[in-house]
Amino acid sequence: MKLIKLSAIDSTNDFLKELSKNETLENFTTVVAEQQLKGKGQMGSSWVTEKGKNLIMSTLIKDVVTNVDQVFHLNVAVSIAIIQVLETLNIPSLSIKWPNDIMSDGKKIAGILIENRFKSNTTIESVVGIGLNVNQKDYSSLPKASSMSIVANIEFDIDLILEEFIAKIQANCNYISKNATEKLWTIYLENLFKKGLLMSFEDQHKSVFNGTILGVTHEGKLEVAHQDKTIHYYGIKEITLLY
C-alpha cells in the first residue's frame, strides 16, 4: 500500500482522483494531509480543520465494488471500519448517522465522502475520503461537532489511527469482494444513529414531520415510518434529521 503525505492540499479526494487519472496506482493507495484548505463533504458541504490536529485522508479502492448495486456496501464497510477502530480506543457512544457521519455522544466526530468513477471498461474505482476530528479542541462555531480528544480527554496518535483505518477498511472490503456483506449490514444497522426513536425530520421542501428510522436499504436510502404508519424511502439530501 502506497502512502502519500502532504503538508497542505485543497482536497485529498481531488488530489487522489487526479493522480489516479494520470498514473496506475496500487489498490488502497492513500493520501493524507496535515491541512485541507478546501475540504468538502457530501453534496458540496464544507469540512474545515486545524492544521496537524486531525486525520484527513483519502484512499483509492478498486476491484472491490463491481456493479452499481454494491456502491453503498462500500459506505457501510468504511463506516463500520471507523466505528471498529474508535471502539478499540475507548471512544464512547459511537453511532453512524446516515448517510456519512460518525457520531460520539450525539456529536459528529467524523465524516465520509465516497466518490465513484465508472470507467469505460465497466469497472468502478472509488476514492474514499475520511475527515476525523482527533486532537482539535475548538468547535465554538460548530456546536454539533466534537473530537476524540474532547470526548476521551486525552491526545491521540494520528499516524497510528491512520494505519488502523487502512487495515480495517481492507479487511471489511474483503466481505464485499466475497459477496458476504450480511455481517457488515448487521453491524451497520445496529449502530444506526437514532434508529427506532420518534424523531423530527425536514424534507427538501422545508416541511417538518415526525417519523421513526427503521433502517437503510442496500441502495443507500433511509427507511422512515411516518406517524400515519406509512413507510417512505429517502435518498441523500432529500431529508434532514433534526436533533
Side-chain angles (χ1 to χ4, degrees), residues 169-237:
I169 289 170
Q170 286 180 301
N172 287 351
C173 281
N174 285 334
Y175 287 102
I176 301 175
S177 298
K178 296 175 181 177
N179 198 27
T181 58
E182 295 86 356
K183 180 180 179 181
L184 296 180
W185 274 96
T186 297
I187 298 171
Y188 181 85
L189 294 174
E190 286 175 350
N191 285 278
L192 196 58
F193 184 65
K194 300 298 184 182
K195 181 186 176 188
L197 301 177
L198 185 66
M199 300 295 295
S200 294
F201 298 86
E202 183 179 86
D203 65 21
Q204 58 196 130
H205 305 295
K206 304 299 181 183
S207 297
V208 176
F209 66 92
N210 293 327
T212 303
I213 294 175
L214 301 180
V216 176
T217 71
H218 280 203
E219 295 74 35
K221 291 194 173 184
L222 189 68
E223 181 181 6
V224 179
H226 287 221
Q227 286 189 292
D228 62 3
K229 308 300 182 183
T230 59
I231 297 175
H232 299 254
Y233 300 89
Y234 297 94
I236 295 172
K237 292 300 180 179

Side-chain angles (χ1 to χ4, degrees), residues 6-26:
L6 305 171
S7 175
I9 192 71
D10 284 350
S11 162
T12 54
N13 262 32
D14 288 348
F15 180 90
L16 187 53
K17 284 189 297 180
E18 191 63 29
L19 195 64
S20 69
K21 289 179 184 177
N22 296 323
E23 60 182 275
T24 301
L25 300 176
E26 63 181 277

Side-chain angles (χ1 to χ4, degrees), residues 40-42 45-49 54 86 91 93-113 130-134 136 139 142-148 150-151 193 237 243:
K40 56 185 177 179
Q42 198 73 46
S45 57
S46 62
W47 183 270
V48 181
T49 64
N54 306 297
L86 296 187
I91 303 302
S93 305
L94 292 164
S95 59
I96 302 166
K97 181 175 172 288
W98 177 90
N100 66 325
D101 292 341
I102 305 299
M103 315 290 284
S104 174
D105 276 340
K107 292 190 175 184
K108 178 178 176 177
I109 62 169
I112 302 164
L113 176 64
I130 299 172
L132 173 68
N133 298 337
V134 183
Q136 185 170 324
Y139 292 96
L142 298 168
K144 291 185 178 180
S146 188
S147 71
M148 294 174 62
I150 290 173
V151 299
F193 184 65
K237 292 300 180 179
Y243 66 100

